[in-house]
């Protein structure tokens, strides 16, 4: 499935670009994620926790920045992980593209996500899985804003159209440190909210 | 080390003691622990009903109960429905007469479910019988022979 | 008094055992030293396997070994053989027992763990590390043939497995002279096997003793033996395949599966018996299913509704591999004129690979699809021309005076499809009568006044049954007087034991209880074919009858000598040969058997072969064509889209009925399977080839609570093609069901102009059609 | 389909159960097992510890306090259906429970288990929403009451702390003459409802004096149709009023999945709200 998100970082593209490529710095922005090892110049190992109702998943895997296009300020990250208990895998190609937008930076994220195994094989929750995947990206984006240190980030118009979280009435205050240990409850709550708002 | 427990279960009137791994379902224990293979595992997620047995008289899915949970309880399986002398239970007779089985795989669960159901509902309508066995899937018969058998057995059992 | 069994409702011989929990299914079998296996299955619909690391799994306590493709060694490194080669197959794709370097559907076998218990084997599965490189998957057959579509196999040239065509008559002429040409497109989806017993295998290899033995929950043990022997390059004599009690088959158990090879190899390489029992989640992804066909058809007809021709194309989903050759697309085409005399047909099939589990026949195979298509076109003509659907059928049926009627189509074996016997119109009238068809409009109007929407639908079918070549039977009287009867045909609940015992008992003058029936064990009978395509009654029936007759003749001939009486004066009753009019003169069949199998130094009576035994391969000289007409009455709730089947009436003709009770059970069970296809069962994949309907809360099998009472009436038009006049009955309930249900739904929703273009018909889809129709009516 | 190995615990008291929950991080509570066991068998849920409540004393059975039912969390669905007070005072409960799985699963399944599992389509949460039931949870520091409206936290996640245990459910009575309607649509008997509706009405002198409408299956939590409830109070229990409620139901936010669209769920909600209200009105003594 393809997910499209975008958001505005109220910082100039040069600053945003540097932060984006600093993986140890931005990894904690991924909700429930933990960076455990740097295994190459642009290659990392880590874990990500997720809770879907009664099902608690822990993915461990690798992420690699596969392309860096300095000129176009575009980077592709390939991330993949397997659930530690053999219930499936997630594989994502994430393209980040930055463009200047009135002195700020607009980040477009295109994610091609594939889930496999039993976690992907539950039709009743299929709408939900989509929403969750979208939520992870959105939370990442929100956390990234926090990390960049700009609290006044505002969603771009496109984000409002694409991002489930954009209409969330009262998002929990973004706190990157805390998000590292969440079990996904808040994330889920927001995913559900997004879903019932009919965004997926 | 596997987590195990000693249990004592009465099955079809006979007492059994066993050491079971706690993750073992009652159904697997009956089949492979006690060799009572009449209870069939059809879906192992509680929908098909093939594994239905009676625990303390109530019909339950033996795939959705751990063997350790049956400790101290009385279990009746399909092997325990007929009399000791081999006289078939009225339901078994009726299933035979009305062609209520083809491959026979769902049959044990149908019989144990209906035995408990008819005890509590001795004079059911066809609708009630159909709802009672809606938790037992049969792929062969189209259910009609089973429904007819249940209604016939109900009559027989009321007469006796 | 001679007891007549043929045609009697004899209670089944199988039942006391099965009713008391004493059936013997594969998982009930245990043996010393037996280990249990679990398969690691592909989680991706299409991927390259870069590497497999089994070390963590092998280190787990209780795990004996873990095998991958490489671990089987060079000798066992080849793909499975094509069991049904055909020129149509342009790209022959068969599996490895364990995937080598590419997986092509979710569920494909990748590795097998052998452990002390199934639970431990499953624990180990989570510890096998496979590095997959995901490849694009193709799932939707409507786009699979487009340029640039992902390929189902990395080395394929396209996703086209092959093309075939059924063409006869002058199709151009038919369409040229037609008053009307109507067209329709629809999707047909049929689900999977879902026998209540999943598949299961036990293998034991004893190279210095009995050889390789495989117990498997299967419909065709001899096919499996041959396939195993071919694949292993070994003698069939050293391979024994046994199908014990089988908890339902319905088609998908008629094939040969990679797990059957893998478990044999594992048992051989580990020198210990190994059991694998498919669990229900595995069943969804590893037992073949039927799934999608898209049909686009045009019908040419006269203003009176006489159909002149039918043409169009089918896109048929094949899945990733080809376990059954072209059986399914072929059996979709074969029934194409249906019960009707249609002079010209030209319909092609594109057989398309997808990254999903391979397709196989499911109860009826392609016949329900072919019949559905014809019946939909009849319905279309009826609606467009405003002629009652029953009347359109009357105007088009093949008439009894046209029999034998050669349709122009070709059966699977290459023979011409010939309708041997039957009165289709009379059968329809019986169905209409049984369903109170003529008073339906009143029922409908009464209900409508109460705000309820009733509808009625009619469907007729023919079914080619009893395909050859044979299914032999041996009947042997033992010294005890008991009669051993052996055949190759496996039973999955069809009551073969009872049926065959009845036929033998009737001929031989013994009680059915004295018949020792054995089947589906390759060590007990030289060769069998399989329980598929409603073929057993029309093949084993005649052979059992004939073998028993030969034994009877032999017994009477010998008894005549022994009793010094004329054969014509002899009769056999309850296992005793008596001379009519001289009740004291008698000899038992057991005594005659002893004379024909004497002890050492004694002689077999002159002029006799040893043993009171005979074997026959008598069968059917062609495919007896069964037929049926069904009427469904439904109620649709426009508020929810729910369809309730209120009544279901069947008039069926399977020729002479050996045991009407068993036939009735086959018909009713078949109808319910067909209603399941029409309304409930759907195997759904997402666009990445991940299966979504993976449990019985989401894959909807028909339950007792939603199924109607099915009323059945019969005609018995004897088939001229076999000695008993029988035709098959196993699939005749299923074949016409979906068409009758769908027609009834459309009839109920006539005021909304609902036209249904796929099944299973789900309530959401119906409400969308209702809302659309209501909106159009309001405009 | 065998569960992963786990350590099995069978506490005898709620305190023991709570202590075990506090002690073990990766623990699952086993009540009736009719939802957890399938997930264990399928290895969707892979806990290190299973804490079985079936031997815990004092948390099953029904008490009629005169103004409410107090139901022990481990009360089997079957016992709830057979209980005289339940049948007399809250007849919608046994009626709705007919739709919960099958009689064999109701023989094991518990009210507490269902409320904690919190399947979006489940009937018992839908009923508790209509009744504004109160759930009592025991934790290391004692008991606390949670109004049902605050119970669902997220998809199949109740607002229970990791060391808390649901022990009791309190269902306040409606007037003796109240009417009730429970209607759901599932593909087959016992299936997950696509939409389920519980409606309670009190009617006095031909006017609706109190109304509750709860919709299950539309969202991750049961939805109370408060706008319609407010509109109904003071209105006559007639077709016009109920159609208006149905139109409000048509506007709910509803989720979609691989089988059912949001729009269809909305349509079903409209149909079933109307039907449930008609049924409730017919049963309310004050209607005639």
């Amino acid at each position: 499935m393809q997910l499209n998100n975008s958001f505005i970082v109220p910082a100039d593209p040069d600053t945003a670009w540097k932060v984006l490529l600093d993986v140890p710095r931005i990894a904690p922005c991924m909700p429930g994620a933990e960076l455990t090892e740097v295994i190459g110049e642009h290659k990392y190992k880590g874990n990500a926790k997720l809770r879907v109702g009664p099902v608690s998943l822990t993915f461990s895997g690798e992420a690699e920045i596969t392309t860096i296009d300095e000129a176009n300020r575009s980077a592709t990250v390939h991330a993949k992980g397997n659930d530690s208990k053999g219930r499936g895998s997630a594989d994502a190609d994430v393209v980040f593209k930055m463009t200047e937008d009135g002195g700020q930076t607009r980040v477009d994220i295109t994610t091609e996500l594939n889930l496999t195994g039993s976690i992907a094989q539950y039709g009743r929750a299929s709408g939900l899985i989509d929403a969750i995947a979208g939520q992870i990206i959105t939370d990442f984006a929100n956390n990234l804003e926090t990390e960049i240190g700009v609290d006044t980030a505002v969603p771009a118009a496109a984000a409002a159209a694409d991002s489930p979280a954009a209409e969330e009435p009262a998002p929990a205050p973004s706190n990157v440190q805390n998000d590292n240990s969440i079990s996904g409850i808040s994330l889920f709550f927001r995913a559900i909210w997004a879903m019932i708002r009919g965004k997926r | 080390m596997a987590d195990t427990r000693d249990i004592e279960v009465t099955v079809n009137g006979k007492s059994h003691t066993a050491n079971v791994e706690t993750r073992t379902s009652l159904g697997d224990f009956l089949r492979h622990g006690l060799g009572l293979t009449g209870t069939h595992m059809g879906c192992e997620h509680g929908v098909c009903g093939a594994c239905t047995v009676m625990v303390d008289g109530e019909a339950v899915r033996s795939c959705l109960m751990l063997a350790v949970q049956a400790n101290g309880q009385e279990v009746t399986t399909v092997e325990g429905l007929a009399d000791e002398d081999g006289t078939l239970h009225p339901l078994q007779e009726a299933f035979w007469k009305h062609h209520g089985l083809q491959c026979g795989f769902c049959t044990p669960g149908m019989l144990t479910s209906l035995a408990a159901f008819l005890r509590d509902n001795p004079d059911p309508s066809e609708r009630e019988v159909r709802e009672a066995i809606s938790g037992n899937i049969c792929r062969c018969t189209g259910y009609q022979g089973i429904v007819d058998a249940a209604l016939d057995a109900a009559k027989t059992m009321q007469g006796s | 008094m001679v007891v007549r069994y043929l045609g009697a409702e004899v209670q089944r011989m199988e039942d006391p055992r099965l009713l008391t929990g004493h059936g013997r299914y594969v998982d009930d079998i245990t043996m010393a030293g037996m280990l249990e296996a679990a398969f690691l299955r592909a989680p991706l619909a299409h991927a390259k396997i870069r590497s497999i690391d089994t070390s963590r799994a092998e280190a787990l306590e209780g795990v004996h070994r873990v095998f991958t493709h490489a671990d089987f060694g060079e000798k066992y490194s080849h793909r499975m053989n094509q069991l049904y080669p055909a020129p149509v197959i342009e790209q022959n794709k068969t599996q490895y027992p364990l995937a080598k370097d590419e997986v092509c559907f979710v569920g494909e076998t990748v590795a097998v763990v052998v452990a002390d218990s199934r639970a431990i084997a499953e624990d180990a599965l989570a510890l096998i590390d496979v590095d997959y490189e995901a490849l694009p998957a193709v799932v939707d057959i409507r786009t699979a043939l487009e340029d640039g579509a992902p390929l189902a196999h990395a080395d394929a040239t396209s996703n086209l497995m092959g093309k075939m065509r059924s063409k006869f008559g002058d199709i151009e002429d038919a369409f040229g002279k037609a008053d009307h040409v109507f067209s329709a497109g629809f999707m047909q989806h049929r689900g999977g096997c879902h026998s209540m017993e999943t598949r299961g295998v036990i293998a034991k290899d004893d190279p210095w003793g009995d050889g390789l033995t495989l117990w498997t929950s299967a419909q065709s043990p001899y096919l499996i033996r041959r396939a195993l022997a071919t694949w292993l390059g070994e003698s069939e004599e050293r391979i024994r395949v046994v199908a014990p009690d089988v908890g339902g088959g319905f088609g998908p158990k008629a094939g040969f599966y990679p797990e059957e090879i893998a478990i044999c190899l594992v048992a051989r390489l580990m020198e210990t018996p190994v059991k694998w029992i498919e669990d229900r989640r595995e069943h969804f992804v590893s037992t073949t299913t039927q799934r999608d066909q898209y049909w686009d058809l045009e019908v040419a007809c006269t203003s009176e509704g006489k159909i002149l021709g039918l043409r169009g194309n089918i896109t048929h989903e094949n899945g990733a591999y080809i376990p059954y050759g072209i059986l399914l697309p072929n059996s979709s085409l074969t029934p194409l004129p249906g019960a009707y005399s249609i002079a010209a047909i030209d319909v092609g099939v594109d057989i398309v690979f997808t990254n999903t589990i391979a397709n196989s026949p499911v109860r009826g195979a392609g016949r329900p699809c072919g019949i559905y298509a014809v019946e939909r076109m009849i319905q279309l003509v009826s609606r467009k021309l405003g002629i009652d659907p029953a009347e359109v059928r009357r105007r088009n049926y093949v008439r009894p005076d046209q029999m034998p009627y050669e349709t122009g189509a070709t059966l699977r074996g290459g023979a011409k499809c010939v309708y041997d016997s039957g009165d289709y119109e009379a059968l329809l009238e019986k169905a209409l009568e049984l369903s109170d068809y003529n008073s339906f409009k009143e029922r409908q109007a009464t209900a409508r006044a109460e705000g309820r929407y009733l509808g009625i639908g009619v469907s007729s079918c023919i079914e080619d049954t009893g395909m050859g070549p044979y299914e032999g039977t041996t009947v042997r009287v033992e010294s005890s007087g008991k009669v051993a009867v052996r055949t190759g045909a496996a039973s999955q609940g069809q009551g073969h034991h009872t049926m065959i015992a009845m036929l033998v008992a009737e001929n031989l003058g013994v009680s059915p209880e004295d018949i020792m029936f054995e089947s589906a064990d390759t060590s007990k009978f030289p060769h069998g074919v399989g329980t598929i395509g409603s073929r057993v009654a029309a093949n084993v029936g005649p052979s059992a009858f004939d073998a028993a007759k030969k034994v009877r003749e032999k017994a009477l001939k010998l008894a005549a000598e022994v009793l010094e009486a004329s054969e014509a004066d002899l009769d056999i009753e309850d296992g005793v040969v008596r001379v009519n009019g001289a009740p004291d003169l008698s000899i038992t069949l057991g005594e005659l058997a002893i004379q024909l199998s004497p002890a050492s130094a004694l002689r077999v009576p002159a002029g006799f072969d040893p043993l009171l035994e005979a074997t026959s391969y008598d069968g059917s000289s062609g495919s007896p064509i069964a037929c049926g007409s069904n009427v469904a009455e439904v109620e649709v709730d426009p508020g929810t889209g729910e369809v309730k089947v209120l009544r279901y009436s069947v008039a069926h003709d399977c020729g002479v009925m050996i045991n009407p009770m068993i036939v009735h059970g086959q018909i009713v069970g078949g109808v319910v399977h067909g209603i399941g296809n029409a309304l409930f069962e759907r195997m759904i994949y997402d666009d990445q080839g991940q299966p979504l309907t993976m449990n019985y809360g989401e894959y909807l099998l028909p339950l007792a609570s939603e199924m109607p009472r099915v009323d059945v009436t019969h005609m018995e038009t004897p088939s001229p093609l076999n000695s008993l006049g029988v035709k098959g009955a196993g699939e005749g309930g299923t074949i016409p069901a979906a068409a009758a249900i769908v027609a009834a739904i459309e009839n109920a929703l006539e005021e909304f102009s609902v036209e249904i273009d796929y099944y299973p018909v789900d309530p959401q889809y119906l409400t969308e059609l209702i809302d659309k129709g209501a909106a159009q009516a309001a405009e | 389909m065998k569960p992963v190995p786990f350590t099995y615990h069978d506490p005898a008291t709620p305190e023991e159960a709570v202590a075990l929950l506090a002690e073990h991080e990766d623990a699952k509570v086993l009540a009736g097992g009719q939802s957890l066991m399938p997930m264990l068998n399928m290895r969707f849920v892979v806990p290190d510890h299973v804490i079985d409540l079936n031997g815990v004393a004092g948390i099953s059975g029904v008490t009629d306090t005169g103004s409410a039912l107090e139901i022990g969390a481990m009360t089997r669905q079957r016992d709830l259906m057979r209980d005289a007070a339940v049948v007399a005072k809250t007849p919608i409960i046994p009626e709705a429970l007919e739709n919960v799985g099958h009689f064999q699963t109701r023989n094991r399944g518990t009210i507490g288990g269902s409320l904690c599992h919190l399947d979006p389509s489940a009937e018992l949460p839908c009923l508790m929403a209509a009744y504004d039931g109160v759930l009592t949870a025991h934790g290391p520091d004692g008991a606390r009451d949670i109004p049902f409206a605050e119970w669902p936290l997220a998809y199949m996640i109740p607002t229970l702390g990791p060391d808390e245990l649901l022990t009791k459910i309190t269902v306040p009575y409606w007037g003796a003459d109240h009417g009730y309607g429970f209607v759901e649509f599932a593909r087959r008997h016992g299936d997950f409802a696509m939409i389920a509706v519980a409606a309670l009405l009190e009617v006095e002198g031909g006017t609706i004096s109190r109304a509750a409408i709860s919709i299950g299956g539309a969202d991750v939590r049961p939805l109370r149709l408060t706008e319609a409830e407010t509109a109904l109070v003071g209105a006559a229990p007639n077709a016009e009023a109920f159609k208006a409620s149905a139109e409000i139901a048509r506007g709910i936010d509803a989720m979609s999945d691989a089988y059912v669209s949001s729009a269809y769920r909305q349509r079903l909600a409209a149909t079933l709200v109307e039907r449930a209200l008609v049924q409730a009105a017919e049963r309310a003594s004050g209607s005639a």
Side-chain angles (χ1 to χ4, degrees), chain B residues 30-97:
Chain B
L30 291 169
R31 289 180 51 75
H32 303 304
L34 301 182
L36 292 169
T37 54
T39 298
H40 296 152
M41 310 308 283
C43 75
E44 294 183 276
H45 57 277
V47 187
C48 82
C51 69
T52 307
V53 300
M54 286 187 268
V55 175
D56 285 350
E58 302 287 359
V60 302
R61 313 290 206 208
S62 68
C63 72
L64 298 189
M65 194 170 158
L66 299 170
V68 64
Q69 293 184 295
N71 187 25
Q73 298 190 280
E74 292 204 12
V75 177
T76 305
T77 69
V78 68
E79 288 96 337
L81 289 181
D83 287 347
E84 297 249 322
D85 67 0
T87 306
L88 295 180
H89 186 283
L91 270 166
Q92 291 170 318
E93 279 289 353
F95 266 61
W96 194 11
K97 180 176 154 197

Side-chain angles (χ1 to χ4, degrees), chain C residues 203-220:
Chain C
K204 181 183 178 186
D205 193 27
D206 181 4
W208 311 111
D210 296 336
L212 179 64
T213 306
L214 183 71
W215 291 263
T216 179
S217 180
Q219 294 169 237
S220 310

Side-chain angles (χ1 to χ4, degrees), chain C residues 344-413:
Chain C
I345 283 183
D346 182 7
V347 178
V349 191
D350 294 338
I351 310 166
V352 179
F353 286 119
T354 53
N355 291 110
T356 58
I357 177 85
N359 271 204
S360 73
V362 172
R363 200 167 194 165
R367 298 176 190 90
C369 303
I371 291 298
Y372 181 87
V374 174
E375 294 298 306
R376 290 303 290 157
M377 299 318 276
I378 295 273
Q379 206 63 29
L380 183 66
V381 169
S382 159
R383 186 170 57 233
K384 294 281 189 188
L385 299 182
I387 307 172
D388 183 272
E391 183 55 29
V392 177
R393 287 177 170 84
R394 287 187 194 104
R395 293 178 189 178
N396 286 286
Y397 281 133
V398 175
R399 299 182 316 274
D401 62 28
Q402 292 174 283
M403 306 277 182
Y405 176 84
E406 194 177 311
T407 64
T410 307
L411 292 172
R412 192 173 135 212

